[in-house]
Structure formats: C-alpha cells, structure tokens
Amino acid sequence: MSRVQTVTVGPGDGDQRLDRWLKRHFPHLAQGRIEKMCRKGEIRVDGGRVKASDRIEVGNQIRIPPLPEPEEVARNATPARSRISDADVALIQSCVLWKDDHIIALNKPPGLPTQGGSKQTRHVDGLSEALKFGLEEKPRLVHRLDKDTSGLLLLARTREAAQGLTAALRHRETRKIYWALVAGVPVPYLGEIKYGLVKAPGRGGGGEGEKMLAVHPRDIDSTPGAKRAHSLYATLYRVASRASWVAMEPLTGRTHQLRAHMAEIGHPIIGDGKYGGSGQENMGDGWGAQLGGIISKKLHLHARSMTFQHPVTRKTMTVTAPLPDHMAQSWDTFGWTEDLASDDPFAELH
C-alpha cells in the first residue's frame, strides 16, 4: 500500500474528469474503486468531497488515499471476461441505425436478449462493449425489448444522456410505435385497450415461463399486484378476415403489455406461443398464433419507431427501424410495403 499523498494538477492535465485524470496517473485503479473512494470521501479536491465525474483544473490539490500496488491488483484481479467474437462485433455494429456523441440507436434483431438473465450469456448489454466507438465506457441501456421482439433500442453513451433519457421514459415524454401481424381483424380499426396486468408466477427458481394476466379495469384496484396498462392500436391493412397489420403504441410500459393486450381482445400476435397458443392453427374461430403456410412462426412484433427529445440538444427526434427478415418476408407475401403506413397512425388520438 502507498501512503496518503497530495498531487497538484499540472499544466496540460486540467479541464478533464477526475476519474480520467486518476486512470492516467494510476492506470491500475478500476472505475468502481475510484467511485467508491469518492463516495467515502477518501479522494478530495482542494479539501472538498467530489464525484468521479467532477472536472478538475490546473492547480487543484488532489488528496489520494493509500492505494494498492499495481502488482497486488494484478494478483487479485478476476479473470477477464471472454472477448467478444469478431462475428458478434460485426453483428452488433451492423445493428446501429444512428449515433452521435450521446446516443446510439440500434435495430435489435429478434432472438437476442437485451440483458443477461436465466441461461442468457449473449445479449445486447454484453455486446455493447463493441459499441464504444472511441469512448472509454460502453453505452448504457435505458430501456429494454423482449428477447423475441425486434426493433428500435436506445443506448446512452454518457451518464448525462442516460439520466435524461431515463427521466423522459419515466415521465412518458417519449413515443414508441410498434408494428405487428395479428390473428384476425381488430374492430373498431382504431381503439384503445385498458386492461390491467398482473404477474402470474413462472416455473422453477428463475421464474421461467413468467406470464402476465389481463385484469378488467373494474377489477384492477381489488386485484393484488395488478397494475394499470394502456395501449392504443390501429388496424392498417388486413388479409381477408385471417390476419392484420396493426400499429400499436404503449402509453404505459408494463412487461409483455402489447402481447397480453392483443391476446386479451382476441387477436394474438402471430408467432406468440406464450399468449397466442403455439399449436393452434389460425383456421377461423378461436384465433391462434400461427397462420401456417410460408409465414414464419417467429414472433411478429417490431419496435418500429421512437420519438424523443434529445437530452443534450433538446431537439425532437424520430428514429425508425426497418422490419426484420421474417416480418419483411411476411409483408412481401401479403403484398404490403413499409411505406404504406402513416408515420403516426395515432395522430388524431393525441
């Protein structure tokens, strides 16, 4: 261990974050260790408490507590995480739709989890190490999509952007529009769904098979654990009475909200075995989640677009994600093209 020392910020070392200055002078210090020492007041600047993100200037006096020697840190270090394969680097970088110094917008492929969980070791959060693009820290998730749902996913490249986007999502200052292929034809063509949702227990210790149950609005307050949920839907095009292209906008952000809501009104999303019944062909009454024929059995739910206020520039932005291959093939089968849909099918409801 070293002794307590006081270091003066020299010429050329000012106007930068404290944690970056520390890493330059003490490269064996981990980010977590730096933040912990700041929280405990062990690192001080000109005698005052600081955060790791605070900026320092030439002439500042930085108090450094006793630090472990580099050799000691190396001996106690846990093995490095396995390197992301070149194929996965190429995959996740090919998903980037748009980026600036603050935000990255991805078109998440279906089947790739947003975060790690039960038996999930390959996910967006882990692969985002390949999305630094010159910054020191990997981008942060600010919301999530179900594993089998494709489409628009925002990541924040800085702590400040993450705080701004998270607050906007919490206060419903963003708009997300999803596209889906559903069984049957929802009527009326433009409507809203206000069924509450309550979590039904899954199987096993990890809660596998967890499912949301719909609760009638009049029973929400008397149902333990039930939460209010509100979705808008617009029927855009249909295939006779068998299937429809539907746009949806979740006004709340509950788990599996759109999937549970569409199933509850009798029009489950095609490919949704959890809420639509995976073994039931869509042959007429009792709509199932399969159409049969050449239509893919994968989930046909896609986060099409997101409109939000940029947390730094304050400009209103809309980012749009093209359909994944299996949905594009279904659209092609029915003779639909992406440009047939209005950018905002819910304009008259807002």
Side-chain angles (χ1 to χ4, degrees), residues 6-72:
T6 300
V7 181
T8 301
V9 179
D13 258 355
D15 192 26
Q16 65 174 309
R17 286 170 53 124
L18 172 62
D19 52 1
R20 291 175 183 166
W21 181 89
L22 286 164
K23 285 181 179 178
R24 178 182 297 181
H25 291 269
F26 307 96
H28 61 292
L29 283 182
Q31 181 70 22
R33 180 72 177 261
I34 293 171
E35 293 182 359
K36 183 177 181 180
M37 289 190 295
C38 287
R39 284 196 304 271
K40 295 173 68 175
E42 294 175 345
I43 295 176
R44 292 179 177 254
V45 175
D46 294 339
R49 298 177 73 101
V50 285
K51 295 185 292 186
S53 59
D54 286 350
R55 302 190 78 81
I56 57 172
E57 301 295 342
V58 173
N60 284 156
Q61 299 281 314
I62 302 181
R63 178 195 185 274
I64 311 294
L67 299 176
E69 298 298 334
E71 298 78 10
E72 182 183 348

Side-chain angles (χ1 to χ4, degrees), residues 199-203 206-212 255-256 274-275:
K199 188 177 295 184
R203 305 182 303 275
E208 295 84 355
E210 186 176 87
K211 187 173 181 178
M212 306 303 290
T255 301
H256 298 172
K274 183 183 288 284
Y275 291 96

